[in-house]
Each structure stands twice: as C-alpha cells, then as structure tokens.
Amino acid sequence: MMQHIRVSEILAQFRNLSMINPTVLREKGLIGTEVHKNIHEYKTGGLEIFDIYPMRDRNGDIKQKDNVPLWEERGKTYFDSYVMWDKENKPKFGIMEERYYDDNLMITGQIDALMTTSSLPVLVDFKCAYNADLEMWSMQAHYYKHLLQHNGIEIADHFLFLKLDSKGRIPAVHEIKFDEKMRARCIFEAISLKKKKKDAENVATNDADIV
C-alpha cells in the first residue's frame, strides 16, 4: 500500500546536496530539530533543553582550542535569534508543529506555526539554513497552504520565513507571496512523484509474482 509522500521528499528532488559533507548535513538536521522543539517549548510554556555537542566547521571537522574540542548547546544560538524576533514582534501562534495529509495527492507535511492575526492566520516557518533558498521555500509554503486548505483551514496569501541567525542575532525575515503558477507546479510535481512511486510499486509486485 502506497504511503503518503512527505513534502520534504518532493523538494529533495530539486536540491543537490552531494557536495556537502554528510556529517555536516546530519548535524544541520539535528540542529533544526533542536531549534524547532525548543521554540515550541518556549511558546507553550515548556522547558527549553539543548543537547551538548562538539562544534564543527563546514567541512565537518571538530573545532578545537589548544587541542581541546569545543562544545556548545546544539542550536542554542539559532533559538536565541528566534527569541529576539519573538520579543520584538510578540506573535501569537494558534497552531504549532502540526502534520496534515491529503489522501488524494497522497502528500503530507508538518507546519511550524500559524500566526494569529486580525484576519486570516499567517504561515510562519523557521529556518536554520546557511543561505536563503526562496524557490524551495516558496514551494514548501504552497504545499503547506494546499494541505491546510484541504483540511479546511484558510490562511493568508503571504508566508513568513525566518532565517534564524547562527550567531544569535535578529533573524532575516523573508515574505513570500502566493503565486498561482507556483501552486500549479507544486501540484504537478506531487502528481508526477506519486505516479513514479506507483509505477515502481507495480513493477515490484509483478516481479514478485513472477518469482
């Protein structure tokens, strides 16, 4: 039986990460998880706890001082960057870290937050990336808007992506607007990947029958 395809899997088709050290990629993923978890705790009155880990450079090598490894709280500076923005803007989030599904397109995605406003809620996403990737972020936002609408939740036609700062400074805020052409592209890519997976599933089933 076919499983729902994650939005991140669809977007991964358009990103070439082969030149990035796997250790760096893995650590970046762990940082993102820590940051999102602690932002959720911060906004819901929980307890912020960060793992301690060895600091690494962009090549994946452990940073040292006087031949002694340097350690830090994983993701703490990115979290501090978020807190600066939060204290300045005082956002209220109605929904956080919620996963949605579309059983027709067979896609799923987990949003970071919906910010309450005087009109429609605004999608907000927290990023720990080195560089802003506005095309991929736009696709991600359009998928999330589709999933929310599919589940009966209407949101604004603009989205906020916070590029959190690795030094704990105020984040860069990127506003992305809804675009019908981008929406159509997202639907097309979802249908294409769904068909590709279904075809592969059928081939595997036929091969098993032959054996």
Side-chain angles (χ1 to χ4, degrees):
M1 182 179 179
M2 184 175 178
Q3 300 294 313
H4 287 81
I5 304 168
R6 290 176 178 252
V7 168
S8 57
E9 183 179 353
I10 300 173
L11 300 181
Q13 301 175 104
F14 309 104
R15 302 179 65 197
N16 182 12
L17 304 177
S18 60
M19 301 301 291
I20 302 177
N21 186 303
T23 301
V24 173
L25 277 178
R26 183 169 58 253
E27 190 58 51
K28 201 66 176 175
L30 292 173
I31 288 173
T33 299
E34 282 289 305
V35 172
H36 284 76
K37 178 188 72 176
N38 282 290
I39 290 175
H40 182 267
E41 292 295 313
Y42 177 78
K43 295 299 290 182
T44 57
L47 181 64
E48 301 112 46
I49 300 176
F50 296 86
D51 288 340
I52 303 297
Y53 82 112
M55 298 173 64
R56 295 181 183 273
D57 59 25
R58 292 196 177 190
N59 295 319
D61 298 322
I62 296 176
K63 294 182 179 180
Q64 296 186 0
K65 183 177 182 179
D66 298 328
N67 294 320
V68 177
L70 297 177
W71 296 74
E72 67 179 349
E73 294 177 295
R74 179 181 278 120
K76 181 65 164 57
T77 52
Y78 290 100
F79 173 77
D80 291 342
S81 175
Y82 168 78
V83 171
M84 287 188 68
W85 178 84
D86 186 278
K87 288 181 176 179
E88 184 176 299
N89 293 275
K90 297 178 173 57
K92 293 183 179 180
F93 295 143
I95 299 175
M96 293 188 75
E97 302 298 336
E98 194 73 34
R99 179 168 292 280
Y100 295 94
Y101 296 83
D102 177 347
D103 293 334
N104 297 321
L105 284 180
M106 290 301 291
I107 62 173
T108 179
Q110 180 169 311
I111 68 167
D112 287 352
L114 287 185
M115 183 172 66
T116 304
T117 70
S118 58
S119 54
L120 291 174
V122 174
L123 177 73
V124 180
D125 201 272
F126 316 121
K127 295 297 184 186
C128 300
Y130 288 124
N131 300 301
D133 190 341
L134 297 184
E135 182 181 9
M136 290 298 99
W137 294 0
S138 179
M139 289 185 73
Q140 180 183 359
H142 282 73
Y143 276 120
Y144 287 172
K145 181 176 175 68
H146 168 84
L147 284 164
L148 288 161
Q149 287 181 321
H150 186 77
N151 285 273
I153 302 174
E154 290 294 334
I155 65 171
D157 282 341
H158 65 279
F159 324 106
L160 296 182
F161 279 71
L162 273 58
K163 183 182 175 298
L164 305 176
D165 188 79
S166 63
K167 304 296 184 183
R169 297 168 298 204
I170 195 76
V173 180
H174 298 272
E175 181 176 3
I176 296 173
K177 295 184 178 181
F178 175 80
D179 179 78
E180 187 58 43
K181 290 183 178 179
M182 178 59 81
R183 186 201 71 84
R185 178 189 174 188
C186 289
I187 298 300
F188 172 80
E189 298 297 350
I191 292 173
S192 297
L193 186 53
K194 175 185 174 183
K195 182 179 183 303
K196 187 184 300 183
K197 283 181 169 287
K198 190 65 178 177
D199 289 346
E201 208 174 72
N202 290 337
V203 169
T205 299
N206 291 337
D207 290 344
D209 290 341
I210 293 173
V211 174

